[in-house]
């Protein structure tokens, strides 16, 4: 459920949330009765809300007349969809075979410790989300970490702080 | 066209798959993900075959035939590929067959056996979990082979839409809603997924450890709950004399599907609470006596009272719960031995207006079409029927039809669960059905959508109806019934321009003071549309109880003998007298239940002989009923459980239940279906036909009831429309009456081609009549009542079975979120509901199923019983009480445990 009661801190968010829901309702209307509507509507909803909270899934399920389990099944099938708010930067640590044998797990652990979140979660300030991936096709550079579209190569646990710092500092 | 399979040349049809052809010709191909009900999935790859000219092996369940194909279904290559499939499946789970409930009944195990796999060549330790949260279904994900049969079953067969695959890759699993434990999900525990699962991943939880499949006897019979009449197999443990499992049979009307009651509400037969010996009231207490003493005493008292006051002081009640044979026995006893027509049964409280209304319009008071016809309609018009709860298996057909493209229109004062599948929903005010329907008919005429040809050719008075609905333009009707004008216009258009409309209704229509008028208006609508006498159309009332159709058919009614032969007709009486070997059969129709009961207080009814009818709890205004029963001189109750009614009896006689004797029931589509003895009755319980025979003997008449079948045969001798139905003929599949001769095939559709039973159809005039009691300042809420999915009637069966009460442990008063917010009521708070007749205290369920100003509760729990509140005002034609409308007030008593709703569940908070 979306919190709207704390007017002072998230009033702005609440207002835009209501707008988002209104927009979602329109989208559902447009797509209703069209076959194959579910995935595009989910994509639009994710773009609107940044992620797909359960109440949005419910609205979509009811609006498109799709079983709730089907909507949830689709959301959990595609890694593109997220049920938790995504950070500004999505960090993906490769756990493919090459990266794994060359220390991917240690890198992941270091990231988890540094960010104080585990895989699938987002930092409370919504700057970073942490995920794992399966082979980025950069096995020669293993272990590899992607931050949004940037690939970081030969990453050692000790470098984590520096890498994060690059994204933490305000962009010029 | 032809194909060659294993060297045989086989004739095939376009669209057939290779697997279908093989099955049809007795060629075995192992399968796992394919099931006849869920279709080909192409997932497991066990059904591999070689097809000439195609590279590699093909999945026979998905490949369609083409002329000249050459197919091989068995070869070394095929076997080794199949072996690999099964090997991998076994390896990627935890298939501990020895401990598995499915042992010997498992399709995976059978395939392994067939392919000679002793143990898997690989092992991957499965980390999959089990889910024991649901009451009846046990899930062991480590045995799931991800065939998807349960998912297709849940979504496309029963359309409860709970299951799907979630997550991806190695983590893929079957999920309920958003991966909730099944017990917390929207699952209604119908068990379809269990019946379809090829492995031990889904099993009946209560059956675990109760016996291997080969140790259990299988007895085919009919579900003892509602009027759908689902066909079931009882799995019986002979040593403990118990049913331990129920499965659906793959024949009409249910095709394997069941609901939670039919599949899991089976232990009541073995309940220690059963009545096991005759009881007589001595010094104010019911004490056990022998059958001889009980029968001598009963016959003696009846004789003494009837001799003194005449036969009409005797009244009897048959029941929609007992077999055809037993209803016939009660009716014959009343007429042939006592010589009165004072016999009635609980159809009085439900579908008597259907019998009267449809008989007036069409000449026959039964459903016109078969249940399966639902799939052939292009528009389904459902009014006053909460079918997902009261007739679940019918709702599966309706939901499936809607999913397949039929337009489903739901009209109901409550936003019932079925609305989720509706294309259009109209929320009429309680008790305004005539106005709503007349408005629709008016609009149909206004636009010329009526079927003029049908009306002219097949009805007596086509011009009258046009006049009669004139005062109901939609604008005016809308003001009264509350359905927006636009919605009414749309509904009229959809109905008026459809190819085939099936009208389905239930007690929301009949249980009103204008019940018969409501039914007649529905008949009017369908005669204007003209979708009668053909497949897929018709007027189809959903009969409530397992055998309420049969109780009517058997003449447990004050005005007709069995098969609706009027008691007033001297020719009929003479025929009965001759066949039964008695004289002086009464020509005067008897009393209907409310009259019988009322006359107790005036001394005109002195004896009530009541079989399988918990009168105290089922009649409206319980306090009034109790007063009437107290005024009786002699009150006999035949039943299977003690209840509020047996407590008041002078004599209580223990009856057998549905699986302790042979017999038959008639379901809502007029299909007569067999019941079979599967277990021994408890103690000294005896069938009703035996009791009537013994009493008859003591009163000087041999009723010739020597067995259930002999009773049926006795009925058949003087039956008209059922004379052709014998036990032998319905051994496998039930027959639908009319079936007058033993070579008649039965009648799936009444009034074929508009040729009505009464000749021409008759339009009847109906006008607006509000309920007898409407809300006012003192009692501001409208209370409506009905049935819940999890329970049945006064709860004697469902509350004496294991698990249903855990799911739904107590009655709840449904109240709208608007009213609840205004009164500070939350779900599970304790509230008091009071009508002019009584008060009950129960918990609240705040739900948008209830519109503002309307409350709802059921009559399953004597602790908080709707009939303490209901009004005994009744329909002027049939005396059916107005259970669907009375005025109450609601007060909050105390706060309940805070309740958090995780997902919108079906049929419960
Ligand atoms: S029990 Fe019925 S409703 Fe529940 S998951 Fe299985 S098929 Fe669906
Ligand atoms: S639970 Fe049973 S039916 Fe469902 S996917 Fe698994 S094995 Fe198949
Ligand atoms: S739908 Fe009715 S007849 Fe069928 S299983 Fe359920 S209660 Fe029994
Ligand atoms: S294994 Fe990590 S990039 Fe290929
Ligand atoms: S039965 Fe054909 S692929 Fe499973």
């Amino acid at each position: 459920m979306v919190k709207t009661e704390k007017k002072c801190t998230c009033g702005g968010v609440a207002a835009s949330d209501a707008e988002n829901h209104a927009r979602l309702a329109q989208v559902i209307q447009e797509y209703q009765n069209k076959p194959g509507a579910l995935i595009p509507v989910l994509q639009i909803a994710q773009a609107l809300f940044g992620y797909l909270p359960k109440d949005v899934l419910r609205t979509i399920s009811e609006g498109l007349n799709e079983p709730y389990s089907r909507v949830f099944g689709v959301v959990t099938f595609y890694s593109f969809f997220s049920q938790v708010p995504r950070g500004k930067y999505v960090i993906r640590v490769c756990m493919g075979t090459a990266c794994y044998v060359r220390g991917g797990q240690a890198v992941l652990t270091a990231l988890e410790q540094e960010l104080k979140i585990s895989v699938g979660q987002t930092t409370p300030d919504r700057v970073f989300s942490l995920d794992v991936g399966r082979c980025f096709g950069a096995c020669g550079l293993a272990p590899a970490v992607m931050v949004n579209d940037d690939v970081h190569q030969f990453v050692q646990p000790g470098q984590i702080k520096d890498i994060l710092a690059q994204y933490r500092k305000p962009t010029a | 066209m032809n194909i060659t399979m294993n060297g045989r040349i086989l004739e095939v049809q376009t669209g057939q798959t290779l697997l279908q052809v093989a099955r049809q010709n007795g060629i075995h191909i192992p399968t796992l993900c394919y099931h006849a009900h869920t279709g080909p999935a192409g997932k497991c790859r066990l059904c591999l075959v070689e097809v000439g000219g195609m590279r590699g092996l093909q999945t026979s369940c998905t490949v369609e035939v083409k002329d000249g194909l050459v197919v091989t279904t068995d070869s070394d290559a095929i076997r080794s590929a199949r072996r690999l499939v099964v090997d991998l499946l076994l390896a990627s789970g935890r298939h501990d067959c020895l401990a598995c409930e499915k042992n010997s009944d498992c399709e995976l195990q059978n395939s392994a056996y067939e392919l000679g796999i002793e143990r898997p060549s690989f092992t991957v330790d499965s980390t999959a979990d089990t889910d024991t949260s649901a009451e009846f279904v046990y899930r062991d994900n480590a045995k799931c082979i991800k065939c998807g049969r349960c998912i297709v079953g849940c979504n496309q067969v029963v359309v409860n839409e709970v299951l799907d695959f979630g997550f991806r890759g190695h983590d893929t699993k079957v999920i309920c809603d958003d991966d909730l434990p099944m017990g917390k999900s929207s699952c209604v525990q119908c068990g379809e997924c269990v019946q379809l699962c090829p492995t031990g991943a889904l099993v009946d939880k209560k059956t675990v450890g109760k016996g291997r499949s080969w140790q259990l006897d299988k007895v085919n019979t009919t579900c003892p709950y509602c009027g759908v009449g689902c066909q079931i197999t009882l799995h019986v443990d002979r040593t403990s004399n118990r049913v331990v499992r129920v499965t659906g049979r793959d024949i009409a009307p249910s095709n394997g599907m069941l609901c939670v009651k039919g599949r899991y509400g089976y232990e009541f037969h073995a309940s220690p609470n059963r009545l096991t010996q005759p009881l007589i009231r001595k010094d104010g207490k019911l004490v056990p006596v022998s059958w001889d003493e009980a029968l001598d005493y009963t016959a003696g008292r009846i004789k003494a009272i009837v001799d003194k006051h005449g036969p009409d002081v005797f009244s009897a009640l048959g029941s929609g719960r007992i077999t055809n044979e037993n209803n016939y026995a009660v009716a014959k006893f009343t007429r042939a031995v006592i010589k009165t027509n004072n016999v009635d049964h609980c159809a009085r409280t439900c579908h008597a207006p259907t019998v009267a209304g449809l008989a007036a319009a069409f000449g026959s008071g039964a459903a016109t079409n078969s249940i399966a016809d639902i799939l052939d309609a292009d528009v389904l018009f459902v009014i006053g029927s909460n079918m997902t709860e009261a007739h679940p298996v019918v709702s599966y057909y309706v939901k499936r039809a809607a999913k397949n493209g039929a337009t489903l229109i739901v009209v109901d004062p409550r936003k019932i669960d079925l609305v989720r599948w509706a294309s259009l929903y109209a929320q009429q005010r309680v008790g305004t059905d005539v106005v709503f329907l007349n408005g629709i008919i008016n609009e149909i005429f206004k636009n010329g959508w009526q079927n003029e040809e049908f009306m002219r050719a097949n009805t007596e008075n086509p011009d009258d109806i046009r006049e009669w609905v004139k005062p109901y333009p939609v604008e005016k009707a809308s003001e009264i019934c509350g359905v927006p004008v636009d919605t009414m216009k749309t509904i009229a258009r959809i109905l008026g321009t459809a190819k085939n409309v099936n009208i389905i209704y239930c007690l929301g229509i009949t249980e009103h003071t204008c019940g018969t008028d409501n039914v007649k208006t529905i008949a009017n609508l369908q005669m204007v549309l003209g979708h009668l006498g053909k497949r897929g159309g018709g007027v189809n009332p959903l009969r409530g109880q397992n055998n309420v159709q049969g109780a009517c058919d058997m003449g447990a009614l004050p005005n007709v003998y069995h098969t609706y032969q009027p008691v007033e007709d001297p020719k009929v009486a003479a025929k009965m007298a001759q066949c039964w070997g008695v004289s002086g059969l009464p020509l005067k129709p008897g009393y209907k239940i409310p009259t019988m009961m009322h006359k107790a207080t005036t001394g005109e009814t002195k004896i009530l002989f009541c079989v399988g009818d918990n009168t105290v709890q089922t009649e409206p205004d319980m306090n009034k009923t109790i007063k009437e029963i107290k005024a009786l001189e002699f009150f006999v109750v035949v039943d299977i459980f003690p209840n509020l009614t047996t407590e008041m009896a002078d004599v209580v006689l223990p009856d057998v239940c549905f699986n302790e004797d042979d017999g038959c029931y008639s379901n809502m589509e007029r299909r007569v279906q067999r019941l079979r003895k599967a277990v021994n009755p408890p103690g000294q319980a005896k069938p009703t036909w035996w009791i009537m025979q013994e009493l008859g003997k003591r009163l000087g008449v041999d009723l010739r009831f020597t067995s259930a079948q002999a009773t049926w045969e006795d009925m058949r001798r003087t039956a008209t429309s059922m004379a052709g139905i014998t036990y032998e003929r319905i051994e496998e599949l039930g027959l639908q009456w009319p079936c007058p001769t033993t070579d008649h095939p039965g009648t799936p559709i009444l009034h074929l081609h508009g040729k009505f039973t009464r000749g021409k159809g008759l339009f009847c005039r109906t006008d607006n009549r509000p309920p007898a009691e409407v809300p006012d300042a003192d009692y501001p809420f409208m209370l409506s009542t009905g049935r819940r999915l999890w329970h049945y009637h006064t709860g004697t069966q469902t509350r004496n079975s294991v698990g249903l009460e855990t799911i739904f442990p107590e009655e709840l008063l449904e109240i709208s979120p608007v009213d609840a917010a205004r009164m500070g009521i939350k779900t599970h708070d304790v509230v008091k509901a009071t009508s002019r007749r009584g008060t009950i205290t129960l918990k609240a369920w705040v739900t948008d199923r209830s519109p503002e100003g309307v409350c709802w509760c059921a009559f399953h729990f004597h602790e908080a019983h709707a009939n303490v509140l209901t009004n005994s005002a009744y329909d002027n034609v049939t005396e059916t009480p107005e259970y669907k409308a009375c005025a109450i007030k609601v007060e909050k008593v105390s706060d309940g445990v805070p309740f958090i709703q995780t997902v919108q569940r079906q049929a419960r908070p």
Side-chain angles (χ1 to χ4, degrees):
Chain A
M1 275 293 153
V2 177
K3 292 205 181 79
T4 50
E5 66 267 34
K6 288 190 206 147
K7 293 227 172 55
C8 49
T9 57
C10 54
V13 177
S16 74
D17 207 70
E19 278 165 27
N20 286 339
H21 275 283
R23 177 78 190 106
L24 177 62
Q26 275 173 14
V27 171
I28 289 173
Q29 195 93 71
E30 281 163 33
Y31 277 85
Q32 233 165 20
N33 304 327
K34 283 193 197 140
L38 182 54
I39 291 180
V41 171
L42 284 169
Q43 276 174 317
I44 297 170
Q46 173 145 311
L48 284 171
F49 294 87
Y51 70 116
L52 294 168
K54 292 217 169 129
D55 63 331
V56 168
L57 299 186
R58 277 233 82 95
T59 310
I60 294 173
S61 149
E62 274 155 31
L64 294 181
N65 240 323
E66 289 279 4
Y68 185 40
S69 54
R70 165 112 212 280
V71 176
F72 187 83
V74 167
V75 168
T76 55
F77 184 80
Y78 295 100
S79 54
F80 171 79
F81 293 123
S82 172
Q83 291 189 77
V84 287
R86 306 262 65 190
K88 188 165 168 211
Y89 301 105
V90 178
I91 306 174
R92 291 195 294 147
V93 182
C94 180
M95 284 286 139
T97 318
C99 294
Y100 187 82
V101 293
R102 291 171 59 187
Q105 182 63 49
V107 173
L108 180 60
T109 313
L111 272 165
E112 286 182 329
Q113 277 162 4
E114 182 61 29
L115 295 171
K116 298 190 183 63
I117 56 174
S118 41
V119 172
Q121 294 180 334
T122 300
T123 53
D125 59 4
R126 294 217 188 166
V127 176
F128 294 111
S129 297
L130 188 56
D131 255 337
V132 289
R134 299 245 174 255
C135 190
F136 303 151
C139 310
L141 313 172
V145 171
M146 284 185 80
V147 180
N148 285 1
D149 292 333
D150 312 342
V151 181
H152 297 261
Q153 24 187 295
F154 305 118
V155 181
Q156 295 306 312
Q159 295 171 283
I160 291 300
K161 275 202 170 79
D162 290 346
I163 295 176
L164 293 180
Q166 295 172 23
Y167 297 95
R168 277 216 176 102
K169 66 171 183 243
T171 35
Chain B
M1 71 175 115
N2 291 315
I3 67 166
T4 313
M5 196 175 267
N6 299 348
R8 280 166 65 190
I9 297 177
L10 305 172
E11 192 173 323
V12 298
Q13 259 101 56
T14 348
Q16 279 190 306
T17 62
L18 297 180
L19 179 65
Q20 281 168 334
V21 174
R23 296 237 156 134
Q24 222 167 54
N25 291 284
I27 297 170
H28 173 69
I29 298 175
T31 53
L32 280 170
C33 66
Y34 173 84
H35 186 285
H37 287 185
T38 55
K43 283 191 142 163
C44 71
R45 301 188 57 79
L46 183 62
C47 62
L48 294 173
V49 294
E50 286 166 8
V51 182
M54 287 171 127
R55 273 189 50 215
L57 299 174
Q58 308 296 320
T59 49
S60 62
C61 68
T62 55
V63 174
E64 291 189 6
V65 293
K66 273 201 284 290
D67 197 26
L69 278 189
V70 180
V71 183
T72 312
T73 69
D74 201 0
S75 71
D76 286 347
I78 291 172
R79 285 182 80 81
S80 93
R82 286 182 187 159
R83 216 174 281 128
L84 183 66
V85 165
V86 174
D87 215 352
L88 281 170
L89 287 174
L90 283 172
S92 45
R94 204 168 42 235
H95 293 282
D96 45 357
C97 299
L98 282 186
C100 183
E101 202 49 38
K102 270 275 183 152
N103 193 3
S104 83
D105 215 9
C106 169
E107 295 175 39
L108 182 62
Q109 193 188 52
N110 292 348
S111 311
Y113 178 76
E114 183 187 319
L115 294 164
I117 300 173
E118 288 177 15
R119 56 175 58 85
S121 350
F122 332 86
T123 45
V124 185
D125 224 7
S126 171
T127 50
D129 51 343
T130 56
D131 176 4
T132 57
S133 63
E135 209 44 47
F136 300 123
V137 179
Y138 173 83
R139 302 168 70 206
D140 184 350
N141 291 327
K143 296 197 176 104
C144 174
I145 58 169
K146 301 181 177 108
C147 67
R149 269 154 61 163
C150 56
I151 292 169
V152 177
C154 187
N155 289 286
Q156 285 162 40
V157 179
V158 292
V159 201
N160 288 326
E161 301 194 333
V162 178
L163 299 178
D164 210 324
F165 281 124
F167 309 97
R168 84 191 88 101
H170 182 257
D171 298 329
T172 304
K173 64 169 181 168
V174 177
I175 53 165
C176 301
D177 296 330
D178 51 8
D179 198 21
L180 287 172
M182 186 181 250
K184 290 207 172 347
S185 75
S186 60
C187 169
V188 289
Q189 297 282 284
C190 72
E192 176 73 10
C193 53
V194 178
Q195 187 153 328
L196 290 173
C197 181
T199 73
L202 294 168
V203 295
D204 295 318
K205 194 168 156 189
K206 292 197 294 187
T207 309
V208 173
K210 296 274 167 59
R212 294 298 191 189
S213 160
W214 70 82
Q215 298 169 315
L216 304 172
D217 276 0
K218 320 277 187 294
V219 181
N220 292 336
T221 188
T222 302
C223 173
Y225 287 106
C226 83
V228 180
C230 296
Q231 290 302 293
I232 58 178
T233 300
L234 303 178
H235 301 241
V236 182
D237 178 1
R238 289 273 173 229
T239 44
S240 66
N241 193 44
R242 274 169 173 271
V243 174
V244 297
R245 184 176 185 216
V246 173
T247 49
R249 289 183 71 202
D250 212 349
I251 53 168
S254 42
N255 293 315
M257 303 178 289
L258 296 175
C259 78
V260 66
K261 294 183 289 286
R263 197 182 292 276
Y264 296 118
Y266 52 75
E267 291 97 338
F268 68 90
H269 81 89
S271 162
N273 301 333
R274 283 283 299 273
L275 290 168
T276 57
Q277 44 191 344
L279 308 169
I280 289 184
R281 191 171 298 278
K282 289 183 180 167
D283 301 326
K285 266 212 274 318
L286 285 169
V287 294
V289 295
S290 70
W291 269 111
D292 270 335
E293 184 178 345
L295 293 165
D296 289 345
Y297 175 73
T298 305
R301 289 289 308 269
I302 291 175
K303 183 163 173 19
I305 299 170
V306 169
D307 279 354
K308 184 150 165 226
H309 302 282
D312 290 341
V313 297
F314 178 97
S315 282
L317 295 182
S319 170
R321 315 304 330 281
I322 62 175
T323 61
N324 282 332
E325 292 74 2
N326 289 336
N327 274 302
Y328 173 71
V330 174
K332 184 178 175 189
F333 174 87
T334 308
R335 296 187 164 116
V337 180
I338 309 289
K339 309 268 160 58
T340 175
N341 283 312
N342 294 341
V343 58
D344 203 358
H345 74 280
C346 43
R348 192 61 56 207
T349 62
C350 61
H351 269 298
T354 292
V355 179
L358 294 187
F362 307 151
S364 170
T368 59
N369 289 59
S370 305
I371 294 170
D373 275 25
I374 289 168
L375 298 173
D376 295 326
D378 66 335
V379 175
L380 294 155
F381 183 79
V382 175
I383 181 164
S385 157
N386 182 16
M387 57 169 69
T388 58
E389 297 197 64
H391 301 94
V393 170
V394 167
S395 84
Y396 305 157
Y397 282 100
V398 168
K399 291 188 283 184
R400 201 189 308 164
K403 280 262 149 186
N404 292 345
T407 308
L408 171 61
I409 302 171
V410 175
V411 185
D412 203 287
R414 300 167 62 224
K415 194 167 161 239
I416 46 175
D417 292 352
L418 185 66
V419 172
R420 176 168 145 195
W421 288 272
S423 323
L424 211 63
Y425 169 51
Q427 190 162 40
Q428 86 279 39
R429 294 194 182 103
V430 175
T432 61
D433 306 274
V434 166
V435 177
F436 170 79
L437 292 165
N438 277 346
I440 297 287
I441 301 174
N442 177 297
E443 181 72 12
I444 288 172
F445 277 119
K446 197 174 129 196
N447 291 283
W449 289 321
Q450 74 276 17
N451 188 337
E452 200 65 44
E453 199 188 317
F454 181 92
M455 290 167 62
R456 299 268 153 227
N458 302 312
T459 70
E460 213 169 289
N461 50 346
D463 297 318
D464 289 348
I465 182 69
R466 187 190 284 271
E467 284 307 307
W468 291 336
V469 297
K470 281 225 167 107
Y472 298 91
V474 277
E475 292 72 16
K476 196 172 149 219
S478 164
E479 271 171 37
I480 300 171
C481 71
V483 179
V485 171
D486 280 349
T487 311
M488 290 189 68
K489 286 187 170 167
T490 314
I491 292 176
R493 178 176 49 76
I494 295 174
L495 291 176
T497 56
K499 281 204 288 294
N500 211 348
V501 179
N502 191 336
I503 302 186
I504 303 173
Y505 71 89
C506 194
L507 304 187
I509 285 298
T510 59
E511 286 180 346
H512 281 291
T513 42
C514 54
T516 305
D517 280 356
N518 285 346
V519 173
K520 287 177 174 167
T521 316
I522 285 179
N524 288 349
L525 172 63
Q526 189 57 298
M527 287 192 290
V528 167
L529 298 172
H531 303 296
L532 278 157
K534 61 177 180 182
R535 213 180 144 78
V539 172
N540 295 297
L542 305 182
R543 303 303 299 255
Q545 297 173 314
N546 52 340
N547 197 34
V548 71
Q549 180 68 51
C552 293
D553 300 346
M554 291 299 106
L557 289 172
N559 58 334
V560 287
Y561 289 95
H562 46 290
T563 60
Y564 307 95
Q565 306 174 74
V567 295
E568 287 163 295
D569 183 341
K571 282 206 287 292
V572 169
K575 172 174 98 173
M576 298 301 168
Q578 205 232 340
C579 176
W580 291 351
V582 296
S583 59
L585 290 176
L587 293 171
K588 183 177 71 155
Y591 307 145
K592 305 179 180 98
I593 295 177
T595 304
M596 284 176 191
M597 300 299 290
H598 173 70
K599 284 187 184 291
T601 56
T602 62
E604 290 162 274
T605 300
K606 296 195 185 294
I607 307 171
L608 185 62
F609 192 102
C610 165
V611 183
D613 186 297
N614 188 354
T615 316
V616 172
Q617 266 172 273
T618 48
E619 293 302 311
D621 192 353
M622 195 185 283
N623 292 324
K624 175 169 169 283
T625 311
I626 290 173
K627 254 186 245 137
E628 290 161 344
I629 291 182
K630 279 197 176 139
L632 292 166
E633 210 172 305
F634 188 49
F635 184 35
V636 185
V637 178
V638 183
D639 216 322
I640 61 171
F641 280 106
N643 54 41
L644 297 187
T645 307
T646 56
E647 268 170 37
M648 303 187 66
D650 298 298
V651 177
V652 178
L653 304 174
D655 203 351
V656 302
C657 77
F658 84 108
N659 56 3
E660 295 162 351
D661 189 19
D662 290 336
C664 58
Y665 293 151
S666 310
N667 81 345
M668 59 170 69
E669 50 174 14
R670 297 168 278 106
R671 192 185 294 277
V672 181
Q673 312 191 101
R674 272 302 305 275
L675 283 182
R676 287 183 184 80
K677 181 172 165 144
V679 293
N680 295 320
Q684 303 167 32
K686 288 283 190 185
T688 299
W689 57 258
W690 181 87
I691 297 172
M692 301 331 283
Q693 168 72 15
E694 289 297 313
L695 289 173
K697 205 163 74 189
R698 284 165 172 78
L699 294 167
V701 181
D702 177 6
L703 292 166
R704 295 195 299 230
F705 305 152
T706 49
S707 68
Q709 189 168 7
T711 309
W712 179 256
E713 288 300 308
D714 189 64
M715 186 287 301
R716 223 160 59 74
R717 269 192 285 276
T718 45
T720 49
S721 55
M722 290 169 98
I725 304 178
T726 63
Y727 276 24
E728 291 72 32
R729 292 192 71 195
I730 56 172
E731 182 62 27
E732 258 310 293
L733 186 64
L735 274 169
Q736 288 165 285
W737 66 258
C739 178
T741 53
T742 47
D743 54 6
H744 190 284
T747 311
I749 303 169
L750 290 181
H751 323 303
L752 213 53
H753 312 304
K755 299 289 160 274
F756 287 103
T757 311
R758 74 184 289 282
K760 287 199 165 194
L762 182 70
F763 287 104
C764 301
R765 178 168 195 160
T766 59
D767 281 300
N768 181 26
R769 260 192 296 146
E773 191 177 72
V774 290
D776 55 21
D778 295 335
Y779 297 92
F781 285 96
M782 182 66 100
L783 175 79
S784 200
T785 67
R787 258 181 4 205
R788 298 206 178 270
L789 172 62
W790 319 100
H791 287 285
Y792 196 78
H793 282 207
T794 58
T796 43
Q797 291 161 287
T798 48
R799 296 186 71 189
N800 278 303
S801 293
V802 179
L804 292 164
E805 223 179 4
T806 320
I807 297 180
F808 204 90
E810 58 189 324
E811 192 42 49
L812 302 174
L813 186 74
E814 295 184 23
I815 182 166
S816 78
V818 182
D819 294 317
R822 186 166 44 76
M823 301 171 67
I825 294 171
K826 304 174 301 304
T827 294
H828 286 176
D829 286 356
V830 179
V831 296
K832 214 162 76 177
T834 309
S835 77
R836 290 190 173 79
R837 295 153 294 276
T839 295
I840 58 175
T841 305
L842 70 178
K843 288 185 186 159
W845 173 9
V846 179
T847 168
D848 64 1
R849 284 158 52 117
S850 269
E852 208 178 328
V854 174
C855 289
W856 189 91
C857 69
F859 63 116
H860 307 306
F861 293 84
H862 61 84
E863 298 89 338
H865 201 287
N867 284 336
V868 172
L869 306 176
T870 47
N871 188 2
S872 61
Y874 53 64
D875 174 47
N876 53 328
V877 182
T878 61
E879 300 188 12
T880 296
E882 189 151 60
Y883 293 100
K884 297 296 185 210
C886 77
I888 61 163
K889 64 180 172 201
V890 177
E891 294 148 283
K892 176 166 166 173
V893 177
S894 60
D895 283 317
V897 184
F899 170 80
I900 302 149
Q901 184 151 40
T902 44
V903 30
Q904 194 74 46
R905 295 206 288 197
Q906 308 183 60
R908 57 177 169 153

